[in-house]
Amino acid sequence: MPRLNRPTASQRARNQLLRNRANRENPEYAEMERQAADTRRRAIRRQVSEVRATEQVSNTADHRLRRLDPVLRADQQAADTRRRAIRRQIRQVRTTEQVRNTADRSERRLDPDFRAGEQAADTRRRAIRRQVSEVLATEQVSNTADRSERRLDPDFRAGEQAADTRRRAIRRQVGEVRATEQVSNTADRSERRLDPDFRAGEQSADTRRRAIRRQVGEVRATEQVSNTADHRLRRLDPVLRADQQAADTRRRAIRRQIRQVRTTEQVRNTADRSERRLDPDFRAGEQAADTRRRSLRRLDATYRAGEQDANTLQRAQARSTQDRLFQRAQDRVRRATARSIRDRRAVEQARNTLARRSARIAVRQATIDAIRNISQRVSQYRSLSGNRDAENLRNANRSQEIRLDLSQGNRTPRNIPIGLDAHIAKFNRLVKLGPDQICFCCKGLWFPKQMRTLSRVYLEEHCEFREEIYQNASQLAFTGESFSFCGTCHSNIKAGRKPKGAISTA
């Protein structure tokens, strides 16, 4: 239904001024005023119901009779129009009439035939008025301002867009119209897309529309299948594939400048790689590819030097105690998170078991090989008669020296050969006094060779429970700057953990 154009306030004021001026120059105005006075007198008489009923019957019959004359009817309509114009000068009367007319039109427009006839009449009247160029220009300005104001309402704008879409769909059913519109639209879009701002806005609108459509599962699935087939076909062209990879690289680089996006992508990639690396074949292929890439890049002396400098700097930073402790804490959290998944924990346990078994087998085999090599060398050495005689002579001289020392009362031979007897003798000397060293963390007794020391400066910087160590030391009347710990407590403190056997004085 076409919209009825209402005059603006300025247009209504101008029209009222013109009507007042015309009324003053019209000699019939006095007659109209007299008729108005007669009308008021009749209105007073009509307050009597009997008079009003009689007059209504008489007037109805009289009107019907007079309206049979076309000339009289036209004059009467003109007079009615003038009377309504005079009455409408009163704002209250005009408002009341507008409300009544609006309700009347709304009720009558429920009839499709009446609404169609009214629209046709409005269209003809507007067409006649628009033949005047000034009227046409004024109406266009007024319509533009009115539409701009009404389009601020999202509901109105959505309804107008839907109506425009339906009208265009009806017109496009004609092949010639559709072809002409496509050519015009293509040329128009090509020209407007030369503007970067317009192109960016159009891309954003297309992205939003696609996102809305993709919320429907069937549409999204169909689009994915179509896009996959299209991408595979286009990627057969090496040039296009290279351009597409370069464009993807640039887009990712731009997105990664946002810290949150970069962090989210890193976490997602890490989880994805961790899951895929559970497959031994994938891990082996990835390692081989990485090795080949590094080998190719290291052929460049500049790259190799830069990599060495970067590795040196990275190792120096990693050796910082705070960074190392923080990294270890992060590793523990990641391992704990990964181990919370039952399947991953089972895989890790199986892998660790196999690694430990392989390590034990390797150590055992290395020991056996070392003993076998020593035995073979000894056998080869003793197979020569000269070497065997020299060794016998050397052992005889050493035995004679030992007997001489023992005969002189020396119960601790100085020249015992380095062998099993020498180690046994050394062990006996060490255990005579027993473990007499106290650990400042667990307060256990240990042998001197089992103790490790840490300075007070190190404890201040890296140990969170140093106050407990200081209190244990004060109970032992210790006032030095280097604190002694057993091997277990020392390794736990260096790793940033509190030993399980630590003695707390709290």
Side-chain angles (χ1 to χ4, degrees):
M1 174 181 174
R3 183 179 59 81
L4 297 178
N5 295 322
R6 293 177 295 179
T8 61
S10 61
Q11 290 176 342
R12 288 197 298 271
R14 186 174 64 253
N15 294 336
Q16 183 62 41
L17 180 61
L18 294 175
R19 284 194 298 270
N20 293 338
R21 185 177 300 170
N23 289 335
R24 284 194 299 270
E25 295 176 356
N26 190 357
E28 297 179 357
Y29 186 73
E31 180 64 22
M32 293 172 57
E33 288 292 336
R34 186 183 62 78
Q35 290 177 357
D38 292 341
T39 301
R40 287 193 294 272
R41 284 196 296 272
R42 281 196 298 272
I44 295 173
R45 287 205 311 273
R46 285 169 185 163
Q47 293 179 1
V48 181
S49 59
E50 296 178 357
V51 174
R52 185 169 61 252
T54 304
E55 186 177 357
Q56 288 174 351
V57 173
S58 176
N59 290 340
T60 301
D62 187 30
H63 290 170
R64 288 178 180 174
L65 181 61
R66 284 186 298 171
R67 282 172 182 162
L68 296 176
D69 183 2
V71 178
L72 181 62
R73 187 167 61 250
D75 294 338
Q76 190 176 11
Q77 289 175 351
D80 290 340
T81 301
R82 288 194 295 273
R83 282 197 298 273
R84 282 196 297 271
I86 293 171
R87 284 205 310 274
R88 285 170 182 161
Q89 295 177 5
I90 303 173
R91 184 174 182 179
Q92 185 174 1
V93 173
R94 187 170 61 252
T95 303
T96 304
E97 185 178 357
Q98 288 173 351
V99 172
R100 184 174 63 252
N101 291 340
T102 300
D104 185 34
R105 281 195 298 270
S106 299
E107 183 176 358
R108 284 186 295 171
R109 282 171 182 161
L110 297 176
D111 182 5
D113 296 333
F114 174 81
R115 187 167 62 249
E118 187 179 21
Q119 291 174 354
D122 290 340
T123 302
R124 286 193 298 271
R125 281 197 299 271
R126 281 196 297 272
I128 293 171
R129 285 205 310 270
R130 285 170 182 162
Q131 293 177 1
V132 182
S133 59
E134 296 180 357
V135 174
L136 181 64
T138 304
E139 184 177 357
Q140 289 175 348
V141 172
S142 174
N143 291 340
T144 301
D146 188 28
R147 280 196 298 270
S148 299
E149 183 178 358
R150 283 189 297 170
R151 281 172 182 161
L152 297 176
D153 182 7
D155 296 334
F156 175 81
R157 187 168 61 253
E160 188 178 42
Q161 291 173 352
D164 291 340
T165 301
R166 287 193 298 271
R167 283 196 298 272
R168 283 195 297 270
I170 293 171
R171 285 203 311 271
R172 285 169 183 160
Q173 293 178 2
V174 182
E176 297 178 358
V177 173
R178 185 169 61 253
T180 304
E181 185 177 358
Q182 289 175 351
V183 171
S184 175
N185 291 340
T186 302
D188 186 32
R189 280 196 297 270
S190 300
E191 183 177 358
R192 285 187 295 172
R193 281 172 181 161
L194 297 176
D195 183 4
D197 296 334
F198 174 80
R199 188 168 60 251
E202 188 178 42
Q203 291 173 351
S204 300
D206 291 341
T207 302
R208 288 194 296 272
R209 282 197 297 273
R210 284 195 297 269
I212 293 173
R213 286 204 309 271
R214 285 169 183 159
Q215 294 176 1
V216 182
E218 297 179 358
V219 174
R220 185 170 60 251
T222 304
E223 185 177 358
Q224 288 173 351
V225 171
S226 175
N227 291 340
T228 301
D230 187 27
H231 291 169
R232 287 178 179 174
L233 182 62
R234 286 187 296 171
R235 283 171 182 159
L236 296 177
D237 184 3
V239 178
L240 179 63
R241 187 168 62 249
D243 294 341
Q244 187 176 13
Q245 291 174 350
D248 291 341
T249 302
R250 288 194 298 271
R251 281 197 297 271
R252 283 196 295 271
I254 293 172
R255 284 204 311 271
R256 284 170 182 160
Q257 293 177 2
I258 303 174
R259 185 174 182 179
Q260 185 176 0
V261 173
R262 186 170 63 251
T263 303
T264 303
E265 184 177 358
Q266 289 173 350
V267 172
R268 185 176 62 250
N269 292 341
T270 301
D272 185 33
R273 283 196 297 270
S274 299
E275 184 176 357
R276 286 187 294 170
R277 283 170 180 161
L278 296 177
D279 182 5
D281 296 334
F282 175 81
R283 188 169 61 250
E286 187 179 24
Q287 290 173 351
D290 291 341
T291 302
R292 287 194 299 271
R293 282 197 297 271
R294 283 196 296 270
S295 299
L296 292 175
R297 285 185 296 181
R298 284 170 181 160
L299 295 176
D300 185 3
T302 304
Y303 174 81
R304 188 168 60 251
E307 185 180 16
Q308 291 173 352
D309 294 339
N311 291 339
T312 302
L313 180 60
Q314 186 178 6
R315 283 195 295 271
Q317 293 177 351
R319 285 171 185 148
S320 175
T321 306
Q322 290 294 103
D323 294 339
R324 189 165 59 248
L325 294 178
F326 177 73
Q327 187 66 32
R328 287 177 179 174
Q330 283 188 332
D331 292 341
R332 286 196 297 273
V333 172
R334 282 197 296 270
R335 285 195 295 271
T337 303
R339 286 169 182 160
S340 62
I341 303 174
R342 186 174 182 178
D343 296 338
R344 288 191 178 183
R345 186 167 64 249
V347 172
E348 184 179 2
Q349 289 174 352
R351 187 169 62 248
N352 293 340
T353 301
L354 181 61
R356 286 195 295 271
R357 185 179 301 166
S358 301
R360 285 196 296 270
I361 293 174
V363 171
R364 190 181 303 116
Q365 187 64 38
T367 304
I368 294 173
D369 294 341
I371 294 174
R372 185 181 294 114
N373 291 335
I374 292 173
S375 300
Q376 290 176 356
R377 286 198 301 271
V378 171
S379 298
Q380 292 176 0
Y381 180 79
R382 289 177 178 174
S383 64
L384 300 176
S385 59
N387 294 336
R388 189 167 57 251
D389 294 340
E391 184 179 2
N392 292 334
L393 180 61
R394 191 165 52 252
N395 290 337
N397 293 334
R398 188 179 296 112
S399 299
Q400 185 177 359
E401 291 178 359
I402 292 173
R403 284 194 297 272
L404 180 61
D405 289 340
L406 292 175
S407 65
Q408 294 176 358
N410 187 0
R411 297 298 178 182
T412 308
R414 294 186 303 273
N415 298 323
I416 296 179
I418 302 300
L420 180 62
D421 296 337
H423 287 295
I424 293 174
K426 184 177 180 180
F427 174 77
N428 290 332
R429 289 196 304 273
L430 290 175
V431 300
K432 279 183 180 180
L433 299 177
D436 59 351
Q437 300 293 320
I438 300 176
C439 174
F440 288 132
C441 185
C442 64
K443 290 189 177 180
L445 293 176
W446 305 87
F447 290 101
K449 291 197 66 175
Q450 295 176 308
M451 303 302 290
R452 304 288 186 271
T453 60
L454 290 174
S455 65
R456 185 184 296 271
V457 176
Y458 183 86
L459 295 177
E460 288 289 340
E461 293 180 354
H462 305 95
C463 185
E464 296 180 355
F465 55 95
R466 54 184 174 275
E467 296 299 332
E468 299 178 5
I469 296 175
Y470 295 160
Q471 292 180 7
N472 293 337
S474 63
Q475 292 178 355
L476 299 174
F478 177 80
T479 58
E481 294 297 326
S482 296
F483 297 82
S484 300
F485 302 95
C486 64
T488 302
C489 294
H490 179 269
S491 61
N492 279 273
I493 293 173
K494 292 286 284 184
R497 299 187 298 268
K498 184 175 181 180
K500 294 183 178 180
I503 301 298
S504 176
T505 59

